[in-house]
Amino acid sequence: MSPAGPEWPRLRVLQALWALLVVLLAPWRLWAIKNTQECTWQVVLNNFETVGKKDASDRFVDQEPLYTVDKVFSLLVDAPIDPDETYLGFPYYLKINYSCKGESSEALVRKGHLTGLKPVVLVTFQSPVNFHRWKIEQLQIQMEAAPFRSRERCNAEEVCLMSWYTPMPIKNGSVVMRVDVSSNGLGPFIPNKRFQVNINGFLERQRDTTLQFTVGNELFNLIPRYFVNVPSRPLWYTVDQTPVFILGGIPEEKAILLTDTNFKDFFLVELSIDSCWVGSFYCPQTSFTATIFDAIATESTLFIRQNQLVYYFTGTYTTLHESNRGSERWVRVLANECIKKLCPVHFHSNGSEYVMALTTGKHEGYVHFGTITDGRVSFELLPRQRSVCNGILVVNCSITWAVFIAGDYNLLLLVEIEDPSTRKYFQVVSYDLVSDYLVVLYTIPEFIPDARGLEFLMILGTESYTNFPMVPKGMSYNPYNNLLFIWGNFLLQGYNSENFIYLADFPKELSIKYLVNSFYGDTAIVTETEEIWYLLEGSYQVYKLFPSKGWEVHVSLQMMQQSSLYAPNETMVTLFYEDNKLYQLVYLIDNQQGRLVKRLVPVEQLLMYQQISNDYLLERQGSHLTLSFTNFCPFTVMRLRDLPNPQIYTRQERYRAQPPRVLEPWGFHSENSLAVYQGLVYYLLWLHSKYDKPYADPVHDPTWRWWKNKKQDQDYYFYLASNWRSAGSVHVDMASYEKIYDLKAENELPERIFLDKGTSYRFSVFLTAREPEPVHGASFQVQSQVGLAVVLADPGCIEAVVKEKVLVNRNSVLFWVTLSDKRFCFDQGISGHHLMKTSMLVKVVGSSGHCFQNTHQGPRMQGNLVVPVLIGCPPGKRLAFDITYTLEYNRLQNKRYFDCVHVDPEMPCFLFRDGACPAPPLNVQCPLPPLLCPPWPFLPARSRPQHPLLLPLDHSSLLLPLSILHFRANFSSPPQLLRPHSLLPVLLDPRFGDGRFWQFSGQD
């Protein structure tokens, strides 16, 4: 058995006492947090037929809007809706409850409703992979949940069972939705909780409304032999884009674990593949098995490898493909090849996703590079001209691992070379997909270096070596910080693929099986013996999480609390990151019963327990001993201050919707009022999609069109509602559906920021040094105790400036950090396309692995702040001109109008040789440059623009799309005609609270 935890039965008394000591020594603030009631949100999906039914839950399969909602709107006379409009609804609701430890959930929900509690749901739509088909945007909608009485029979006069409901919206191009549930601040304290609500395109509804998998048959018995004594395996998928995860490795079964909720729940599915085990003289298979060895999930397509065979299956996602492109059966690819391994590509690029297949046999030394676009799969054999072995001038070689660096269109290959005259050795080889050029970047040392007690060692070629051979097994690359790991029975890290640092804390006696990267600065390591290690970016120290003293303390505390997530016999199935937290999927055997559970790996708590157990001192004071601990954290307080409003940097667009008001004494909604809520949310997002054009509009807020003819009757509708005369007992408040422009920062750095053309992001870090009282020369002392370091992944593209202010009377230091784009690294792309990934690491010197902050959700690591940055024209930048006037003027001026070569109704085109002049919106007040275009004959004289910008020229076709976004515009100098490769600036950015002109200097 491969245990994921220590065995419990004869746990020594000393361990239990030590665990109790750790709890007793916890800060008093943590005790105060623990005294609050432990409550948690619960969210399930309901369709229209299961609303109000107890324990009803549905899978996210249906993707088409419902027309039944419109019947309810026809009853709403004297309401601020358009009777000529057809109102649609989404196929699902979110059902929301909460529970607290040791109390009845039904009574709690009733109590919460009576005390004013209303859940607030924030749905975030993930941007699509294929930005050529769908617009890139960061869209959210915030909805207040509506209370609803259960349909179950009840003896109480008013209510027995109740829940809250909101519509579950769907957006074209998005199959991954993040649902954050929070409280409105009334009633009990319930921490915020996040749920993954993803569309499962591998289920189909039968005629009897039951669901059936399209990839195979569901198995309902989790036999112990599927998991016990079975090694763990990595979970591979496209980061942030994958709605369905799959995991193979079930011994001697062509079965996979499949989940659409990040393993909150899951299915065991036997795949409907042919298992044709074909061997030949060029495919040296020693044995055959039914086991699925490699499994990779992308946005809409699943890949598996069984023996030397590779299959893929595309799910049914009409929201992505606008048609049913789902596979009818598993498709076998590379049929004449012997595939020994699949390698994942964790990030999409250029509108596609990728997967790599490594060959053996006749095509040894080649890589099959797979591209997935809109569910269509194609493979290309690389290198194109000759094998890697011939390219690096060796006779025999084998590719062990491959990494694709999308930003450089480059493959990094870990190549094993067999030289008859010497031993085997390994090289890192770079292959350029554009130039078809191969070059050796690095030759891995034959033996493990002798670090001589150091935490790390820079490999320069002059160091001494041990007798342990280096055995590389794989590579891992993070595109945000350019950090490349080479791993095996060692761990090398480097930032330029040519110079590497040896991390000596990882023991050479172990061998790494796989790495798990959060891509936000954290890396977990799993060894062949199922040990778990941890590495934090910016540090060279590797921490052992399991087995360890910290793990023993943690399990002992879980035993005291009788946790259901731990058992005497455990086997780890996989390890993965979700929302920057590390999770295990573990098979537990308790009382002869086996089950799979997903549980958090409390990295911070484990490091705290280990720190306490390793760094303590017993001192005698008088007749007794006292216990003291050493705290290595250089500060006592760390706060982020002066954070700017986030939307202009995160490009997040957020709408707010509240349920219609119901004329019911207890405030409970009916099926009809929930249907009205569905229609209103659907219409709100439909207005957004109609407004989401590549050019700016005279009206910034799309909801203006909704109520423009009803605002004058607002008081009348309110009069009807206040006198309980609203039709259908439903009142639609026009102020309840709006776009939010003034989101405030939440005292933490955003998930990612966008920088473009010299823009800057500025914030401050407040640190209080550990010494309580400053002494003589305190200014120097505080500075020497607390230092802030900034590490840039691409210093040629971005720059950081740090200024400090010493607060002597508070023994603190205030650091101002300004991150700026240097105007050097960007692509002439459309808004949101071809963005460059980079990052900034803000680190308090000496804090890695030592500093923690206690919160109601457990300790949180402090001192390391990672800010992912995307450079380029950000989503939401749009052309600032009035499309109606522009089209009319150019039609009259040129006597013709042409569609684009690739017709797009949102992107008008004009003939290359015609004079074209976009008119700015009339409500924009800004100085315009001198006259370049003739006056507008159909505008009032005081409204005519003095100098509308010239339309750019497109060298690729005779018809010019208005989608190109950059151009050197210097309004203080005389205007110049545009060259054929010049691009127009995006001037107006009203959707992020900015109504002024944006002026960029751009590239020539």
Side-chain angles (χ1 to χ4, degrees):
M1 178 169 296
S2 303
E7 297 202 2
W8 306 14
R10 294 182 298 275
L11 199 65
R12 291 175 298 180
V13 176
L14 182 59
Q15 293 178 348
L17 292 176
W18 178 254
L20 182 61
L21 179 62
V22 170
V23 176
L24 294 174
L25 292 171
W28 67 267
R29 288 189 297 265
L30 186 59
W31 280 96
I33 292 171
K34 290 297 182 182
N35 285 334
T36 61
Q37 198 173 22
E38 294 184 18
C39 300
T40 183
W41 293 109
Q42 298 171 346
V43 171
V44 296
L45 210 61
N46 280 181
N47 59 32
F48 275 66
E49 288 73 27
T50 57
V51 168
K53 292 184 178 180
K54 185 179 180 181
D55 300 328
S57 178
D58 295 283
R59 313 304 304 188
F60 207 144
V61 177
D62 302 322
Q63 304 170 46
E64 299 296 331
L66 302 180
Y67 289 83
T68 55
V69 170
D70 194 55
K71 299 178 181 178
V72 180
F73 277 84
S74 64
L75 305 175
L76 301 183
V77 296
D78 282 338
I81 61 172
D82 187 353
D84 299 325
E85 188 67 53
T86 299
Y87 286 86
L88 306 179
F90 301 105
Y92 295 102
Y93 290 95
L94 287 174
K95 178 183 178 181
I96 305 163
N97 287 318
Y98 76 96
S99 61
C100 299
K101 194 172 182 179
E103 294 195 30
S104 169
S105 178
E106 299 170 2
L108 286 171
V109 173
R110 290 196 300 269
K111 178 182 177 182
H113 174 63
L114 295 175
T115 54
L117 173 64
K118 291 183 179 179
V120 178
V121 174
L122 179 66
V123 178
T124 303
F125 301 94
Q126 182 61 45
S127 296
V129 168
N130 188 359
F131 52 67
H132 302 294
R133 177 182 293 274
W134 305 106
K135 291 170 181 151
I136 298 298
E137 58 182 352
Q138 314 293 314
L139 182 62
Q140 295 177 323
I141 182 167
Q142 177 182 304
M143 299 172 288
E144 183 183 283
F148 184 84
R149 276 182 287 211
S150 173
R151 297 178 182 178
E152 308 292 333
R153 297 186 62 180
C154 176
N155 295 326
E157 181 178 353
E158 293 299 336
V159 59
C160 286
L161 300 177
M162 62 158 291
S163 300
W164 290 277
Y165 287 87
T166 68
M168 180 59 222
I170 304 174
K171 174 183 171 294
N172 281 338
S174 181
V175 293
V176 175
M177 276 78 71
R178 196 174 64 199
V179 175
D180 293 285
V181 183
S182 59
S183 168
N184 64 344
L186 301 177
F189 171 73
I190 310 174
N192 300 350
K193 191 172 182 180
R194 175 168 293 177
F195 299 85
Q196 292 295 139
V197 183
N198 303 331
I199 300 176
N200 193 331
F202 304 95
L203 284 168
E204 64 179 2
R205 197 174 298 278
Q206 306 298 306
R207 291 184 178 179
D208 60 355
T209 70
T210 60
L211 296 177
Q212 182 176 337
F213 281 99
T214 57
V215 295
N217 300 314
E218 183 179 359
L219 303 177
F220 297 95
N221 189 12
L222 294 179
I223 302 175
R225 74 172 181 85
Y226 292 167
F227 305 101
V228 177
N229 293 326
V230 176
S232 69
R233 48 273 194 197
L235 183 66
W236 288 339
Y237 56 92
T238 305
V239 175
D240 295 332
Q241 303 295 148
T242 305
V244 173
F245 293 165
I246 59 173
L247 191 66
I250 309 296
E252 300 303 328
E253 296 289 342
K254 54 179 183 180
I256 59 172
L257 288 173
L258 184 147
T259 177
D260 53 20
T261 58
N262 292 18
F263 288 106
K264 179 186 175 186
D265 53 23
F266 53 86
F267 305 93
L268 181 63
V269 182
E270 184 182 34
L271 304 182
S272 54
I273 55 178
D274 51 21
S275 298
C276 181
W277 301 337
V278 178
S280 66
F281 68 93
Y282 63 84
C283 189
Q285 288 283 342
T286 57
S287 61
F288 295 95
T289 176
T291 307
I292 305 298
F293 289 105
D294 300 327
I296 300 175
T298 65
E299 187 180 43
S300 63
T301 305
L302 307 179
F303 290 86
I304 61 168
R305 180 181 68 86
Q306 184 193 50
N307 300 308
Q308 82 278 13
L309 309 179
V310 176
Y311 300 85
Y312 76 86
F313 195 103
T314 299
T316 302
Y317 288 102
T318 56
T319 57
L320 285 179
H321 307 145
E322 295 182 321
S323 62
N324 184 3
R325 291 188 186 168
S327 302
E328 296 182 358
R329 63 184 64 87
W330 285 92
V331 180
R332 183 180 169 189
V333 291
L334 306 175
N336 297 321
E337 300 292 335
C338 183
I339 305 302
K340 63 179 180 181
K341 184 181 296 181
L342 293 181
C343 291
V345 178
H346 296 291
F347 290 91
H348 65 94
S349 63
N350 198 31
S352 299
E353 297 166 283
Y354 307 96
V355 65
M356 293 175 290
L358 306 184
T359 66
T360 187
K362 66 176 182 179
H363 280 150
E364 186 78 65
Y366 287 91
V367 176
H368 289 279
F369 188 74
T371 302
I372 308 102
T373 306
D374 275 347
R376 296 188 178 97
V377 179
S378 62
F379 279 89
E380 180 184 9
L381 188 65
L382 299 177
R384 300 182 183 93
Q385 302 296 329
R386 52 182 177 173
S387 71
V388 172
C389 305
N390 292 334
I392 60 176
L393 304 178
V394 297
V395 178
N396 296 317
C397 76
S398 175
I399 300 176
T400 303
W401 199 269
V403 168
F404 177 54
I405 302 178
D408 300 331
Y409 292 94
N410 187 271
L411 282 180
L412 290 183
L413 307 174
L414 181 60
V415 181
E416 178 183 358
I417 301 170
E418 297 184 9
D419 192 331
S421 60
T422 62
R423 299 181 181 180
K424 291 190 301 184
Y425 63 98
F426 293 82
Q427 290 183 332
V428 178
V429 178
S430 171
Y431 172 69
D432 192 305
L433 275 73
V434 178
S435 63
D436 197 41
Y437 178 69
L438 277 167
V439 61
V440 176
L441 296 180
Y442 183 70
T443 299
I444 298 174
E446 185 177 355
F447 296 99
I448 291 178
D450 185 2
R452 300 187 179 184
L454 300 176
E455 287 185 355
F456 66 94
L457 188 67
M458 187 74 183
I459 305 296
L460 300 175
T462 58
E463 55 280 343
S464 58
Y465 291 87
T466 66
N467 294 326
F468 281 84
M470 269 192 167
V471 185
K473 297 173 63 177
M475 297 188 297
S476 177
Y477 178 75
N478 185 346
Y480 284 104
N481 58 13
N482 301 323
L483 184 60
L484 176 68
F485 286 108
I486 305 176
W487 47 266
N489 61 339
F490 62 93
L491 193 59
L492 295 179
Q493 74 171 29
Y495 289 93
N496 60 2
S497 304
E498 297 179 10
N499 300 291
F500 287 89
I501 295 174
Y502 169 66
L503 302 182
D505 279 349
F506 184 79
K508 56 183 176 297
E509 294 81 10
L510 298 177
S511 180
I512 297 175
K513 181 161 53 176
Y514 58 91
L515 259 60
V516 185
N517 203 325
S518 72
F519 301 103
Y520 285 89
D522 305 273
T523 303
I525 303 165
V526 179
T527 69
E528 295 288 353
T529 57
E530 305 297 347
E531 294 187 7
I532 303 175
W533 294 68
Y534 172 77
L535 175 65
L536 183 66
E537 181 185 348
S539 169
Y540 301 107
Q541 187 171 356
V542 187
Y543 300 93
K544 186 178 182 180
L545 300 182
F546 167 79
S548 65
K549 289 183 180 179
W551 185 267
E552 293 176 1
V553 172
H554 172 68
V555 172
S556 300
L557 293 175
Q558 296 302 313
M559 284 180 59
M560 295 177 185
Q561 299 175 9
Q562 298 180 346
S563 172
S564 62
L565 300 178
Y566 296 82
N569 296 317
E570 303 179 346
T571 300
M572 184 171 71
V573 179
T574 191
L575 193 71
F576 61 96
Y577 275 98
E578 178 185 331
D579 296 327
N580 301 331
K581 295 181 180 179
L582 187 61
Y583 287 90
Q584 277 181 312
L585 185 65
V586 184
Y587 185 75
L588 309 178
I589 297 181
D590 194 9
N591 297 326
Q592 305 301 317
Q593 297 293 323
R595 54 195 173 92
L596 273 174
V597 299
K598 171 187 174 182
R599 72 186 184 196
L600 178 70
V601 179
V603 175
E604 293 83 359
Q605 285 186 341
L606 297 178
L607 294 180
M608 283 180 60
Y609 296 157
Q610 289 181 210
Q611 183 175 323
I612 292 175
S613 63
N614 294 332
D615 302 301
Y616 66 92
L617 182 64
L618 283 173
E619 296 179 337
R620 179 170 296 278
Q621 292 186 359
S623 60
H624 59 278
L625 293 174
T626 60
L627 188 64
S628 62
F629 296 87
T630 303
N631 194 326
F632 292 99
C633 184
F635 58 85
T636 59
V637 176
M638 177 178 179
R639 296 192 187 100
L640 294 179
R641 292 182 174 181
D642 307 297
L643 290 166
N645 290 346
Q647 284 175 290
I648 197 169
Y649 296 100
T650 63
R651 317 306 295 174
Q652 205 77 54
E653 297 183 76
R654 181 180 295 186
Y655 288 87
R656 179 189 291 126
Q658 293 180 329
R661 299 180 183 178
V662 291
L663 308 183
E664 199 270 347
W666 290 88
F668 289 111
H669 282 249
S670 63
E671 287 89 345
N672 283 352
S673 62
L674 287 181
V676 172
Y677 198 10
Q678 279 273 8
L680 294 173
V681 171
Y682 187 99
Y683 196 73
L684 177 64
L685 293 179
W686 178 81
L687 283 173
H688 165 80
S689 66
K690 294 294 290 182
Y691 171 73
D692 188 24
K693 302 178 186 298
Y695 46 83
D697 192 279
V699 180
H700 297 170
D701 196 328
T703 60
W704 172 83
R705 296 167 178 80
W706 197 352
W707 315 115
K708 64 179 180 179
N709 298 324
K710 301 289 184 178
K711 278 290 186 181
Q712 65 271 20
D713 300 325
Q714 187 171 3
D715 293 338
Y716 170 67
Y717 300 132
F718 179 77
Y719 166 78
L720 292 177
S722 60
N723 288 277
W724 292 60
R725 294 183 179 180
S726 297
S729 298
V730 173
H731 169 58
V732 178
D733 185 3
M734 290 179 276
S736 298
Y737 306 89
E738 60 181 349
K739 191 169 186 180
I740 304 174
Y741 295 96
D742 56 350
L743 287 178
K744 304 301 180 183
E746 298 179 351
N747 295 321
E748 61 182 10
L749 293 174
E751 185 177 350
R752 66 180 62 88
I753 63 173
F754 294 82
L755 293 181
D756 180 42
K757 299 296 187 63
T759 53
S760 300
Y761 183 81
R762 189 169 188 254
F763 62 96
S764 62
V765 181
F766 177 83
L767 295 171
T768 299
R770 178 152 298 280
E771 293 294 331
E773 295 293 339
V775 295
H776 181 69
S779 176
F780 172 79
Q781 184 179 5
V782 173
Q783 293 181 63
S784 63
Q785 291 169 354
V786 181
L788 195 72
V790 175
V791 181
L792 302 178
D794 295 280
C797 302
I798 56 177
E799 62 182 355
V801 176
V802 180
K803 297 181 179 179
E804 66 176 358
K805 180 180 180 182
V806 179
L807 308 174
V808 179
N809 59 334
R810 302 178 63 179
N811 196 41
S812 303
V813 184
L814 184 66
F815 295 94
W816 286 93
V817 182
T818 303
L819 176 66
S820 304
D821 172 55
K822 297 176 69 172
R823 304 172 184 255
F824 291 154
C825 304
F826 58 89
D827 189 10
Q828 298 283 21
I830 296 176
S831 172
H833 294 197
H834 308 295
L835 300 173
M836 174 184 171
K837 295 181 177 69
T838 185
S839 67
M840 174 182 69
L841 170 64
V842 179
K843 174 186 175 182
V844 180
V845 178
S847 65
S848 296
H850 300 303
C851 300
F852 307 93
Q853 179 188 24
N854 290 311
T855 70
H856 62 270
Q857 294 180 333
R860 184 177 65 177
M861 200 171 298
Q862 282 192 309
N864 271 47
L865 303 172
V866 177
V867 186
V869 181
L870 296 173
I871 300 176
C873 188
K877 290 290 188 182
R878 298 181 299 167
L879 296 172
F881 73 102
D882 192 306
I883 183 60
T884 304
Y885 285 137
T886 301
L887 290 177
E888 179 66 17
Y889 173 76
N890 284 277
R891 186 183 65 81
L892 295 176
Q893 181 74 11
N894 302 314
K895 303 297 188 293
R896 56 178 171 261
Y897 174 73
F898 292 87
D899 282 330
C900 300
V901 175
H902 303 288
V903 178
D904 184 350
E906 302 292 343
M907 199 79 72
C909 290
F910 305 97
L911 192 62
F912 182 91
R913 57 179 173 267
D914 285 344
C917 190
L922 298 183
N923 66 331
V924 176
Q925 302 296 326
C926 79
L928 292 173
L931 182 64
L932 278 184
C933 296
W936 298 78
F938 50 87
L939 294 181
R942 66 172 181 266
S943 301
R944 294 174 189 168
Q946 297 300 309
H947 173 27
L949 291 173
L950 281 178
L951 197 68
L953 306 180
D954 186 1
H955 64 280
S956 61
S957 67
L958 290 179
L959 298 179
L960 173 67
L962 285 175
S963 63
I964 27 193
L965 306 174
H966 302 295
F967 156 66
R968 177 175 290 278
N970 188 346
F971 292 165
S972 62
S973 61
Q976 297 179 355
L977 293 178
L978 307 183
R979 299 204 305 266
H981 294 274
S982 298
L983 300 174
L984 196 67
V986 178
L987 301 178
L988 190 62
D989 197 10
R991 297 189 294 175
F992 304 96
D994 196 344
R996 65 185 185 277
F997 270 119
W998 279 78
Q999 181 178 336
F1000 301 118
S1001 59
Q1003 280 186 337
D1004 287 330

